[in-house]
Amino acid sequence: MIPSEPSHDEEENVAPVKAKRSKPEETEGEAEVFHPVKLSRSDLYRPPTAEELNQLKEAESLFHCSLLKMQMEELLREVVLSERRKQQIDCFIQTVTSLLQTVPRSPEVELGDLSWLSGAVKVPFLLIPKASKGKFHMAPPASVNLIGSYPLGTCIKPSIMVDLAVTIPADVLHPKDVLNQRYPRKRALYLAGLAQHLTSSSEIGTMRYSCLHGNRLRPLLLLTPPGKDSSSFTVRVHACPPPGFFKPSRFHPQRNSIRTEWYTGLSKSHIYIGSPVEPPTPHYNSSILGDLLPRAHLQFLSAVSSQCSAFADGVALLKVWLRQRELDQGTGCFNGFLASMLLAYLLTTHRVSNSMTAYQLLRNSLNFLASTDLTVNGISLAKDPDSTPALADMHSAFQVVFVDPSGHLNMCADMTACTYKQVQHEASLSMQFWDDPTVDGFHALLMTPKPMIRTSDHVFQLCELVKLQSSCKKLNLLSELMDHSGNYIDAALPFILSLLQRGLDQRIHLLTHSLSPDPEWSVESEAPKHKAQPPLSFGLILRPELAASVLERGPPADSPKAAEFRQLWGSHSELRRFQDGAITEAVLWNGETSYEKRLVPRQIIAHLLQLHAGIPESSLRYVGAMVDDVIKMGHEVPSTGEEQSLKVVQSYDDLSRKLWRLEGLPLSITSVQGAHPALRYTQVNPLFPPHSFYEKISRSLVPKEGKPCPAYITPVTVICHMEGSGKWPHDHLAIRHIRAAFHISLGELLSKQHRYACKPCPSHLDVWKDGLAFRIQVAYHREPQVLRESVNAEGLLVVRDNEDAQALEMATVHRPLLTSTLHGLQQQHPCFGAVCRLAKRWLGAQLFSEDITEDTADLLVASLFLQPAPFIPPGSPQVGFLRFLHLLSSFDWRNNPLVVNLNNQLTAADYTEIKNDFMASRESLPVMFIATPKDKKLSLWTKQAPSVQMLQRVVMVAAESLKVLESQLMDGNQTQDVRVALRPPLDPYDVLIHLNPKQVPLLSQAVDPPAVKISRGVMSGNVAQSGGALPVIDYNPVSHYLAELREAFGDLALFFCDPYGGTVITVLWKPKAFNPVPFKTSQMFARQVEVTGEEVHTVPNIEAILEDFRVMGKGLVKSVEPRTERWAF
Amino acid sequence: MAPSKKKHASGQTCVIPGGFTVLSLQFSPDSPAQHKLCVKEHKVRAERSSHRPMDRTLFVLNIPPYCSEAVVKELFSQFGAVQSVELRDHPGAFQHSGPKLATFFKPAEKKGFKVGYVIFQNSSSVSAAKSHPLDVPLVVSAGQHPVSTGVQKWIQQYRESFIQPDKLQQTVDSFMQDYDKRKEEEVERQKREAEEQQEDEEGWVKVTRGNKGAKARPHSEAANQRTLQKEIVKKKRKELMNFYTWQHKNTQKEHIAQLRKKFEEDKQKIALLRAQRKFRPY
């Protein structure tokens, strides 16, 4: 799963360069450091020219700063086609055109007769039903023209598509061909004829069939140039009727062009008894109409674009925006053509002016999209609306309406209402980000991809699309099926979407669905069946406050809506009486724990699809809580620990109340604050083992040799500030003693008044309460200051910052504050805790928990909720976790500070200040810089770790894990094991120390917990509320061992271990560890001397070190495995 | 790996340039690997401390983490009676530690490799240690004096972390009494000094070198900044903005200069990002 780089050893840890950058830039890495600009006085104050003044003013008024403008320009430069590429394309187009002109004529045959085609080329069409009348012959095209984005200049990288319209000569067609798929078939045959002619040519690279926006009635021939350029661009050959060959009025959305009799093969009387009216076929009509108009559209757009100089750039930006949101490809997409038409609409209706810049065009079109609902109020580009179908007719036939300049064609015919709602949602979100000066709008809008799995809180897939065929029958959709010429997926989709929308109603913000990609197949094979499409994916963006409700309360039993409600929910709907006395219809779903409740939407969807569309649950693949497995626990009821966390917090609240009320303390308590992840719902595994005991000494239990290590009990840290008073001594040693005295008296009072078992120590007081261990630390607010002060030799008071003071401040001031702030965040976003826990579980499993500490990880996750741009805050642990991995892997730590706006305390000015400070002193700041309202300049939490090398590795592993997870979640055919992302690769390490599982207290939390349970003296069942013997608290041999190893050999090697039940410690020698150094008394640790003449050098005494690994971990270490193949000693 | 070829013969002491003798040390009699200790008599010109008498003190480098002071004492007592052992993280002058602390109030020790100062009772023991042969290793954990490591040691630590509350209270009380006494002494001393600076009956003040206890204006960067800031604020309050034409012109000029500066900065940022290929949307 993780990249297996062969050369990945010490070098990787040396090169202080970002992993993503390519080779040539590595060398100049140092040169491109940002330096504050220094302009001379004369430069700054010279009189401005009018032009310069304009430019500066424009930048100031239009953008937040000129930076955005420049960014846009750079982006455009990246996506537009180069001159060289254009020449290549023009040259290839010429070749193709001349080849196409030489298509030979063939004799006239019946339409159904395919014998004139050689076997090598198939017809790109599903011939169902088979029979059709008419004659066909091949003839050279009447004309070959470029259409679409390329001649318009709005074609952008990547996947360059050049559209070529080949006009079928009029004598091949017949005006009546509109009926019963005759024209589409002729078109397909004509394309097959062209393909057959082109196969013999060597100037064509590959040839494939596809169809336009997934519409099987409109096949395309894809041509690529030969040789190494074959992947650089694709030419799409469209076959079109001569302009004006069919009368546009024939394609009115209310008219029928496919006869039921022909389609079903039954006589009329069988189907429509008493109603001889044929159903309208709007989609079929518009698919043919679409072929008639491309040249007219091109003319129209070029006319518009010649008026507005920034038109092409505006369209390009809009296309990039759409592409990042996966909206620009597939069936019913909002494609680049629509984007151009939209801009043209805004220009012709004078909503935007011709002199606007590309940035303004983009902004205005997004604003228009956000505020206009095309599903209700369609828009039209038609000049004389009288002679064309009314908008109302369009609305009755299509879900989304945007009429083209001719007035006959609805360009959004295939788009579902859901897709348009998604576009609207995205547009309004984008506007929001743009107006927020604290968000990097450019990045959020144009640079960040939004794949469905990372955007939607829950995703589900319909795997066996063939089942939709029966749904069509069940939903009685024959006329729709006819209209879509047998494409049962497109026919059934709108109905399924509206069904789900009704069922999920208030629980979701938005329902989206994937746009099935355009199929592509080689010219030698038959057109693929409809069911060969990849599974349809649906995304839900949940409203967290309502989504998890287990009750669906319906209308009162006697209201007329009750019948409708019963019809929707079927047998699940029951009459219920509520506490307020109302008797209403209601549906009750299963769910006790929040893990189960999060999956209520799944129950709803499965039920509705089964009931109304006949889709069994087995063909439904619900990806909502797959990743949650990793933190799942509980044996009877599956749960992800929210309930346990709540219990811890409640118990803490009780303790803090009791502390406040204690009487008889010499000084009063001024604050009680939690300072532990468990008190902000982010403890990875909050399930505390009830009891663990071995040997007893004076009412306390201690571990025993020769027995497995007792279960680990985490002490939950509570900081208890005491009132300031003149009596506090002004000496740090004395303060420590006074604190110890407080611990003793607190312990006495607690055990006397509340009968808790207590264990006072100089540094803390352990309290055993409700099966939880609390570690109370008394703090005095002036202590850090006292630590900083010292009296120098001359008797002057010197204030000097030192590590002790900082550590104390961290523990007694910053951490409690962070804990309470994040506790507040959890109240706003119910899945915050679960995301943190997933993130930390991953970090632990990948051996990064030393580098990205718990606090840092929680802050990183908090930033996902506070600055979700371009998304909205995660509504499920899964999506939150994926975004966490994406943040880790894609954030540009080198050039940007990550600002976590806790409690929304930072203003835009603060952001600028933070950024400027950061830029000014980048080199001296931590590699991973996280700013919070209380800490704008130092990045307290990441000061110690990670190092450049470790961050680089984290970035790399995160990217790989994300890739593996996302592909697994979106593809049901892969082996479904999310734990793959949690198994670290062990090959980059030099020594592995295998631990004895019996002495690893958290073994049950391991990624792959062993099947055999080890008795750890855990007493299950009821634990006495208070009193009883004190269990073994905070005894973890693994962490003791790691601490000793790091202290002894920290200069030579790095040690890694999964703190949650890892049974292996991995060791990596530092790159320079083995270099001999001259003999020095201060550098002679774990080394041996080498004498050459008069010079003495020392080198590490590897054998003795390996022996020390064994000696220091006696009883814990099972074996030490030196991987000498990686290094020699 | 061995220091030198000719000193490899059995029973030889191994002396390296610099005057250190190399001794080998292994954890238990059957350990496969050995640490190399370097020992030398303690000889520092600057230090004339009674704590480390020159002739009787042996300076030892590279003591492994599992050797406590007691263990080292035991190890070196084969060369003669050991008076005391001092273990340090780094070699350096003897530092007088503060008031004596109870064991559980001592700050946690670093558990890494140490240097040691072994003070023998007789000076002959130093030379005995220095002539110990390389291939006869010292053994840390021999039969009658086992040294506990690993799980055994951690369990022991856990047991020791239990302190009787009354005993702890006692320690605290005695320390605080001690502290109060010291404090009083300090106050007394300061008072005496202050008295010395008082005028005598004839109006003379005794001037001494160094002004202990006297407070002067703080000379720190922060304090200077603060006063400067105060001045600027005061000035700003008095000034009328954009009142005269020249003021207005100046503000405009300043604004344009600001914009220019920003523009240049942004340009540089972009250039930086472009160099890193940060504008590829996909």
Side-chain angles (χ1 to χ4, degrees):
Chain A
M1 51 145 288
I2 297 297
S4 55
E5 311 106 297
S7 69
H8 160 97
D9 47 358
E10 278 102 36
E11 289 104 350
E12 184 239 312
N13 287 287
V14 198
V17 216
K18 285 257 171 184
K20 281 191 183 165
R21 280 195 277 145
S22 52
K23 266 274 180 290
E25 277 137 11
E26 282 183 22
T27 46
E28 55 187 3
E30 285 314 300
E32 40 183 69
V33 178
F34 181 84
H35 295 292
V37 190
K38 288 214 179 74
L39 287 174
S40 67
R41 226 188 123 69
S42 57
D43 266 346
L44 272 179
Y45 292 100
R46 95 188 111 83
T49 59
E51 194 188 345
E52 192 195 357
L53 205 60
N54 276 341
Q55 232 174 21
L56 288 173
K57 278 271 149 63
E58 186 197 72
E60 194 198 13
S61 56
L62 291 184
F63 311 98
H64 293 314
C65 55
S66 43
L67 188 64
L68 182 59
K69 187 181 162 199
M70 288 189 237
Q71 281 173 324
M72 297 264 181
E73 280 162 9
E74 286 299 327
L75 174 70
L76 283 172
R77 207 167 298 161
E78 285 285 343
V79 295
V80 294
L81 305 188
S82 63
E83 280 307 314
R84 206 186 116 256
R85 181 73 73 223
K86 278 186 190 166
Q87 273 171 12
Q88 253 177 15
I89 293 174
D90 290 339
C91 173
F92 184 65
I93 291 290
Q94 233 162 24
T95 340
V96 172
T97 314
S98 56
L99 272 173
L100 287 176
Q101 301 289 9
T102 60
V103 174
R105 279 183 171 277
S106 72
E108 199 164 76
V109 290
E110 278 296 316
L111 197 51
D113 181 10
L114 301 179
S115 55
W116 60 276
L117 273 176
S118 69
V121 173
K122 295 283 193 296
V123 184
F125 203 82
L126 288 171
L127 299 168
I128 304 167
K130 218 156 173 60
S132 68
K133 289 188 285 182
K135 306 256 187 237
F136 179 80
H137 67 271
M138 272 312 280
S143 67
V144 179
N145 310 84
L146 277 172
I147 54 165
S149 60
Y150 181 70
L152 197 58
T154 58
C155 187
I156 61 164
K157 289 190 268 189
S159 63
I160 304 164
M161 291 282 184
V162 182
D163 296 278
L164 200 61
V166 177
T167 311
I168 307 172
D171 56 340
V172 179
L173 302 173
H174 187 270
K176 279 242 166 186
D177 280 350
V178 178
L179 280 180
N180 295 350
Q181 298 185 1
R182 238 175 282 156
Y183 164 68
R185 286 179 190 211
K186 282 193 181 173
R187 174 168 53 183
L189 283 174
Y190 194 78
L191 272 182
L194 293 182
Q196 173 167 271
H197 174 65
L198 293 177
T199 37
S200 53
S201 165
S202 64
E203 282 159 278
I204 309 285
T206 59
M207 263 201 298
R208 296 176 71 75
Y209 286 130
S210 178
C211 50
L212 193 64
H213 306 316
N215 188 344
R216 292 310 188 78
L217 286 181
R218 305 176 75 177
L220 299 169
L221 182 61
L222 304 183
L223 306 175
T224 58
K228 64 178 168 56
D229 295 328
S230 63
S231 57
S232 59
F233 63 91
T234 313
V235 172
R236 298 200 286 197
V237 179
H238 305 243
C240 303
F245 189 81
F246 301 117
K247 259 209 326 239
S249 56
R250 291 196 70 120
F251 304 106
H252 189 281
Q254 305 292 353
R255 289 188 63 160
N256 169 286
S257 306
I258 293 187
R259 305 287 183 248
T260 321
E261 199 180 339
W262 172 80
Y263 186 73
T264 55
L266 302 168
S267 73
K268 222 177 251 179
S269 55
H270 269 96
I271 313 144
Y272 286 100
I273 303 158
S275 69
V277 185
E278 293 274 357
T281 54
H283 289 96
Y284 174 79
N285 293 356
S286 72
S287 80
I288 298 178
L289 192 55
D291 265 7
L292 276 172
L293 296 165
R295 284 189 203 84
H297 288 158
L298 180 62
Q299 272 168 11
F300 169 75
L301 286 174
S302 340
V304 171
S305 123
S306 63
Q307 300 283 315
C308 172
S309 56
F311 181 80
D313 286 349
V315 173
L317 286 181
L318 202 52
K319 277 174 146 179
V320 171
W321 183 83
L322 286 165
R323 192 184 166 89
Q324 296 289 24
R325 281 149 186 77
E326 295 187 338
L327 284 165
D328 69 328
Q329 271 169 338
T331 316
C333 60
F334 199 103
N335 50 36
F337 169 64
L338 274 176
S340 325
M341 277 296 184
L342 179 76
L343 263 190
Y345 173 78
L346 294 179
L347 283 164
T348 51
T349 52
H350 305 294
R351 282 170 201 258
V352 295
S353 84
N354 284 332
S355 60
M356 281 187 174
T357 60
Y359 160 79
Q360 284 169 304
L361 290 180
L362 174 63
R363 207 185 144 99
N364 277 299
S365 25
L366 291 185
N367 191 26
F368 178 79
L369 282 174
S371 57
T372 319
D373 191 353
L374 295 187
T375 58
V376 190
N377 303 311
I379 50 173
S380 169
L381 276 162
K383 293 199 181 64
D384 45 344
D386 303 333
S387 61
T388 55
L391 277 180
D393 287 342
M394 289 287 189
H395 274 298
S396 63
F398 304 108
Q399 291 193 312
V400 187
V401 176
F402 181 11
V403 180
D404 82 321
S406 77
H408 293 277
L409 173 68
N410 176 17
M411 294 180 287
C412 295
D414 292 333
M415 195 182 291
T416 61
C418 277
T419 306
Y420 186 71
K421 290 279 181 220
Q422 190 188 352
V423 173
Q424 261 201 307
H425 168 82
E426 291 293 348
S428 65
L429 260 188
S430 296
M431 288 308 289
Q432 213 175 304
F433 296 138
W434 225 330
D435 293 335
D436 186 352
T438 64
V439 174
D440 182 357
F442 173 72
H443 248 263
L445 262 65
L446 297 169
M447 298 296 282
T448 320
K450 290 185 76 174
M452 177 183 270
I453 186 80
R454 230 178 289 151
T455 313
S456 310
D457 296 329
H458 285 183
V459 169
F460 70 94
Q461 293 182 320
L462 289 182
C463 296
E464 294 166 72
L465 289 175
V466 106
K467 291 276 190 324
L468 283 172
Q469 213 164 5
S470 53
S471 325
C472 283
K473 261 189 210 125
K474 196 162 177 180
L475 291 163
N476 211 0
L477 296 177
L478 178 67
S479 50
E480 277 78 8
L481 213 53
M482 229 161 73
D483 185 16
H484 285 101
S485 24
N487 189 341
Y488 45 87
I489 298 162
D490 288 352
L493 188 60
F495 291 87
I496 288 177
L497 288 171
S498 74
L499 175 71
L500 294 176
Q501 192 86 52
R502 264 177 73 202
L504 293 165
D505 195 29
Q506 287 298 311
R507 291 172 191 268
I508 54 168
H509 273 297
L510 191 70
L511 172 69
T512 60
H513 64 93
S514 68
L515 308 169
S516 21
D518 303 342
E520 261 185 47
W521 66 98
S522 92
V523 288
E524 289 112 39
S525 52
E526 297 282 352
K529 299 257 172 18
H530 293 305
K531 66 178 176 194
Q533 274 186 24
L536 258 181
S537 308
F538 297 81
L540 310 177
I541 295 182
L542 304 172
R543 278 181 217 273
E545 64 279 10
L546 298 171
S549 140
V550 286
L551 180 79
E552 187 86 41
R553 202 169 150 168
D558 48 356
S559 99
K561 281 183 183 160
E564 206 178 300
F565 188 81
R566 270 196 299 274
Q567 188 268 331
L568 179 64
W569 297 109
S571 59
H572 266 52
S573 172
E574 297 165 335
L575 270 185
R576 279 180 179 265
R577 191 193 157 98
F578 288 91
Q579 276 185 336
D580 58 1
I583 301 176
T584 67
E585 292 284 342
V587 183
L588 190 69
W589 305 102
N590 304 324
E592 275 181 53
T593 61
S594 54
Y595 167 73
E596 289 176 309
K597 282 184 191 164
R598 273 201 293 271
L599 287 175
V600 166
R602 175 200 183 139
Q603 295 180 39
I604 295 176
I605 290 164
H607 174 69
L608 287 178
L609 288 182
Q610 172 78 52
L611 184 69
H612 294 285
I615 299 170
E617 199 177 345
S618 57
S619 56
L620 189 72
R621 189 169 164 271
Y622 201 88
V623 187
M626 285 195 167
V627 180
D628 300 14
D629 264 4
V630 177
I631 51 165
K632 200 151 97 181
M633 51 200 191
H635 307 292
E636 301 91 42
V637 190
S639 140
T640 44
E642 280 83 357
E643 289 71 29
Q644 283 85 349
S645 292
L646 191 64
K647 235 181 251 170
V648 179
V649 173
Q650 281 166 349
S651 174
Y652 158 74
D653 285 342
D654 181 51
L655 178 71
S656 101
R657 261 196 303 279
K658 284 179 175 157
L659 281 173
W660 280 106
R661 281 200 216 121
L662 279 186
E663 280 169 17
L665 279 171
L667 289 174
S668 61
I669 293 171
T670 54
S671 76
V672 178
Q673 291 169 305
H676 192 266
L679 299 179
R680 52 189 190 229
Y681 303 89
T682 66
Q683 167 92 350
V684 171
N685 198 336
L687 184 71
F688 293 86
H691 224 136
S692 65
F693 65 97
Y694 273 112
E695 206 181 330
K696 210 166 185 176
I697 51 164
S698 67
R699 283 171 57 76
S700 312
L701 306 167
V702 294
K704 198 173 176 183
E705 275 171 56
K707 286 260 191 145
C709 169
Y712 185 70
I713 296 179
T714 324
V716 179
T717 321
V718 176
I719 303 289
C720 185
H721 273 272
M722 301 309 262
E723 173 185 37
S725 147
K727 284 186 183 150
W728 278 96
H730 205 82
D731 172 82
H732 69 100
L733 281 175
I735 291 177
R736 277 180 58 203
H737 282 82
I738 296 286
R739 280 195 321 192
F742 270 119
H743 292 140
I744 298 169
S745 58
L746 270 180
E748 264 174 21
L749 289 173
L750 279 175
S751 57
K752 210 181 282 166
Q753 294 178 12
H754 302 287
R755 313 207 141 272
Y756 296 144
C758 293
K759 174 190 165 193
C761 293
S763 55
H764 58 259
L765 166 73
D766 282 342
V767 178
W768 179 241
K769 173 181 183 293
D770 307 337
L772 297 167
F774 288 97
R775 176 159 285 182
I776 299 175
Q777 285 178 13
V778 168
Y780 169 48
H781 67 102
R782 280 183 50 79
E783 195 179 347
Q785 185 59 27
V786 172
L787 273 175
R788 287 197 178 108
E789 287 173 358
S790 60
V791 179
N792 69 2
E794 283 143 40
L796 273 178
L797 198 65
V798 187
V799 180
R800 190 169 292 153
D801 204 3
N802 54 28
E803 270 178 29
D804 288 346
Q806 280 174 2
L808 187 71
E809 222 164 37
M810 191 77 138
T812 59
V813 181
H814 299 301
R815 193 165 289 130
L817 188 74
L818 183 73
T819 304
S820 67
T821 317
L822 293 183
H823 181 273
L825 195 63
Q826 163 80 21
Q827 308 306 319
Q828 293 167 34
H829 301 284
C831 66
F832 168 72
V835 179
C836 283
R837 289 168 39 224
L838 275 173
K840 288 195 276 194
R841 187 68 194 87
W842 178 83
L843 286 170
Q846 292 288 357
L847 314 176
F848 294 137
S849 46
E850 277 300 310
D851 298 285
I852 296 187
T853 58
E854 286 210 38
D855 301 312
T856 312
D858 285 351
L859 268 180
L860 287 174
V861 174
S863 80
L864 296 177
F865 285 84
L866 295 168
Q867 287 112 10
F871 306 99
I872 62 170
S876 74
Q878 170 181 295
V879 75
F881 177 56
L882 293 177
R883 285 188 210 164
F884 168 78
L885 290 181
H886 183 247
L887 174 78
L888 266 190
S889 60
S890 69
F891 193 83
D892 182 8
W893 295 105
R894 189 186 161 81
N895 297 312
N896 288 308
L898 181 73
V899 184
V900 187
N901 195 354
L902 295 169
N903 286 341
N904 227 348
Q905 282 173 341
L906 295 173
T907 59
D910 290 326
Y911 270 78
T912 333
E913 189 197 324
I914 291 172
K915 234 165 239 173
N916 290 346
D917 286 344
F918 172 82
M919 284 302 223
S921 47
R922 177 67 193 111
E923 298 307 298
S924 59
L925 290 172
V927 227
M928 191 182 213
F929 187 90
I930 303 178
T932 59
K934 291 272 178 251
D935 165 33
K936 293 187 205 164
K937 292 189 180 165
L938 296 172
S939 186
L940 286 175
W941 306 103
T942 55
K943 235 176 182 175
Q944 310 288 338
S947 60
V948 189
Q949 296 82 11
M950 282 317 291
L951 183 65
Q952 192 184 324
R953 175 133 183 99
V954 171
V955 166
M956 200 170 70
V957 175
E960 204 57 34
S961 294
L962 183 67
K963 211 166 85 189
V964 168
L965 270 181
E966 285 193 340
S967 74
Q968 206 181 83
L969 292 177
M970 286 310 273
D971 185 0
N973 298 328
Q974 289 184 23
T975 39
Q976 298 290 311
D977 181 14
V978 287
R979 282 166 201 267
V980 170
L982 283 104
R983 295 190 191 110
L986 292 178
D987 27 302
Y989 299 101
D990 296 326
V991 182
L992 302 184
I993 306 176
H994 297 278
L995 305 179
N996 179 0
K998 281 191 178 170
Q999 291 294 341
V1000 178
L1002 292 169
L1003 190 67
S1004 59
Q1005 298 180 17
V1007 176
D1008 301 298
V1012 197
K1013 284 259 182 284
I1014 298 168
S1015 159
R1016 296 188 181 279
V1018 171
M1019 199 152 75
S1020 52
N1022 275 342
V1023 188
Q1025 281 296 301
S1026 51
L1030 200 66
V1032 179
I1033 296 171
D1034 195 22
Y1035 170 70
N1036 188 349
V1038 183
S1039 55
H1040 280 296
Y1041 183 48
L1042 272 174
E1044 284 187 14
L1045 285 178
R1046 289 197 178 113
E1047 272 181 355
F1049 306 107
D1051 301 337
L1052 294 174
L1054 298 170
F1055 298 88
F1056 305 89
C1057 183
D1058 178 3
Y1060 309 106
T1063 52
V1064 62
I1065 291 177
T1066 58
V1067 185
L1068 193 67
W1069 301 121
K1070 287 198 173 173
K1072 285 183 184 148
F1074 293 148
N1075 294 359
V1077 294
F1079 180 85
K1080 254 188 184 173
T1081 54
S1082 56
Q1083 290 179 356
M1084 188 42 211
F1085 297 139
R1087 287 172 167 270
Q1088 58 188 354
V1089 289
E1090 266 177 357
V1091 183
T1092 45
E1094 276 305 290
E1095 294 200 5
V1096 188
H1097 287 275
T1098 61
V1099 288
N1101 189 351
I1102 297 295
E1103 275 178 89
I1105 290 172
L1106 292 179
E1107 176 63 15
D1108 281 356
F1109 288 169
R1110 280 181 211 110
V1111 169
M1112 286 162 68
K1114 207 171 118 196
L1116 174 65
V1117 174
K1118 200 163 72 180
S1119 63
V1120 175
E1121 177 193 338
R1123 302 207 161 166
T1124 32
E1125 70 274 13
R1126 302 181 46 84
W1127 44 275
F1129 71 84
Chain B
M1 176 184 140
S4 172
K5 52 235 144 62
K6 65 176 180 219
K7 286 161 191 160
H8 214 57
S10 94
Q12 284 266 343
T13 36
C14 166
V15 183
I16 58 167
F20 282 93
T21 305
V22 181
L23 305 183
S24 47
L25 172 139
Q26 63 189 44
F27 181 73
S28 60
D30 49 353
S31 295
Q34 300 166 343
H35 271 298
K36 306 290 181 215
L37 303 185
C38 289
V39 301
K40 191 184 178 184
E41 69 279 4
H42 177 62
K43 204 188 272 171
V44 181
R45 240 165 279 130
E47 196 178 27
R48 300 228 171 272
S49 157
S50 58
H51 293 280
R52 294 179 191 161
M54 292 273 197
D55 51 338
R56 291 187 284 129
T57 306
L58 186 72
F59 177 44
V60 188
L61 288 176
N62 198 18
I63 299 176
Y66 38 78
C67 294
S68 63
E69 294 188 359
V71 174
V72 176
K73 195 168 179 178
E74 183 63 39
L75 274 178
F76 281 89
S77 56
Q78 60 171 299
F79 305 115
V82 176
Q83 183 185 320
S84 67
V85 172
E86 184 195 344
L87 292 186
R88 296 278 304 273
D89 291 340
H90 290 285
F94 186 81
Q95 277 170 354
H96 191 77
S97 55
K100 201 166 155 41
L101 291 171
T103 40
F104 34 83
F105 273 107
K106 275 192 189 137
E109 261 180 24
K110 261 197 91 181
K111 283 171 240 157
F113 281 79
K114 301 266 166 77
V115 297
Y117 298 91
V118 180
I119 302 151
F120 290 103
Q121 282 177 356
N122 297 315
S123 48
S124 60
S125 313
V126 174
S127 46
K130 280 185 69 183
S131 55
H132 189 75
L134 175 69
D135 54 354
V136 182
L138 310 175
V139 180
V140 175
S141 179
Q144 60 269 55
H145 299 286
V147 172
S148 65
T149 56
V151 174
Q152 203 183 0
K153 182 176 132 197
W154 298 318
I155 290 178
Q156 210 173 317
Q157 272 177 10
Y158 188 81
R159 277 165 180 278
E160 282 164 7
S161 74
F162 287 93
I163 310 159
Q164 286 301 316
D166 39 356
K167 203 172 146 204
L168 185 60
Q169 187 69 51
Q170 229 173 8
T171 327
V172 170
D173 288 344
S174 69
F175 179 88
M176 287 316 290
Q177 265 171 16
D178 195 37
Y179 174 77
D180 286 343
K181 214 192 282 165
R182 269 184 291 139
K183 194 89 197 173
E184 265 168 40
E185 278 167 18
E186 180 76 5
V187 170
E188 196 64 25
R189 195 176 56 81
Q190 282 190 356
K191 219 161 136 195
R192 238 182 296 125
E193 269 173 21
E195 266 168 20
E196 274 174 14
Q197 296 197 355
Q198 290 278 321
E199 297 177 5
D200 59 12
E201 51 269 31
E202 281 168 30
W204 294 96
V205 177
K206 186 170 154 196
V207 178
T208 50
R209 225 160 57 88
N211 52 344
K212 281 184 187 168
K215 280 244 165 154
R217 207 166 73 88
H219 277 295
S220 70
E221 196 61 22
N224 284 347
Q225 282 289 334
R226 224 176 306 133
T227 25
L228 207 71
Q229 212 67 42
K230 260 187 209 157
E231 288 291 308
I232 291 173
V233 169
K234 233 192 242 168
K235 231 188 207 168
K236 270 218 174 129
R237 236 191 342 230
K238 280 183 194 158
E239 210 172 2
L240 261 172
M241 292 304 287
N242 291 341
F243 184 73
Y244 300 105
T245 328
W246 62 267
Q247 272 184 329
H248 192 64
K249 261 188 202 152
N250 264 6
T251 351
Q252 273 184 337
K253 241 160 99 184
E254 202 62 44
H255 182 64
I256 286 186
Q258 278 295 323
L259 283 180
R260 263 190 198 142
K261 193 160 169 230
K262 185 104 188 83
F263 183 72
E264 288 302 319
E265 270 174 12
D266 290 347
K267 242 178 24 196
Q268 201 169 357
K269 267 187 218 168
I270 294 276
L272 191 70
L273 291 174
R274 191 192 306 141
Q276 297 168 359
R277 302 293 263 167
K278 284 283 151 55
F279 290 106
R280 283 238 169 118
Y282 331 103

